[in-house]
Amino acid sequence: TIVEPDAKKVSVVGDFNKWKAGADALKKLKNGSFKGTIDLEKDKSYQFRYLVDGEYKNDDQADSYAWNDYAGTDNSVINI
């Protein structure tokens, strides 16, 4: 879940969907947050970011962060 009340479109991109924009779109709720479900294998770590109206953002509640040389910034990490 990510809270972006002014956003029109939010998706999750990461190594689990080959960083494909729009592959895992989230649904906007009335309170301005976006929510969705993605099935992932357990006992693994995944790098991801939110794509909010074309702008990449990290999850401020991620389990950790990993440096990405390609983007020159950190990716969020979730441990399942």
Side-chain angles (χ1 to χ4, degrees), residues 31-49:
N31 68 0
S33 65
F34 286 78
K35 188 174 183 177
T37 303
I38 301 169
D39 292 327
L40 301 172
E41 276 186 57
K42 66 182 210 170
D43 300 324
K44 288 190 171 189
S45 293
Y46 299 92
Q47 292 187 32
F48 73 98
R49 297 190 85 191

Side-chain angles (χ1 to χ4, degrees), residues 47-60:
Q47 292 187 32
F48 73 98
R49 297 190 85 191
Y50 293 109
L51 188 56
V52 180
D53 291 339
E55 181 180 330
Y56 289 99
K57 294 190 175 187
N58 276 330
D59 186 339
D60 60 356

Side-chain angles (χ1 to χ4, degrees), residues 12-20 47-49:
V12 179
V13 295
D15 50 13
F16 49 85
N17 64 11
K18 299 181 181 165
W19 298 92
K20 186 175 178 185
Q47 292 187 32
F48 73 98
R49 297 190 85 191

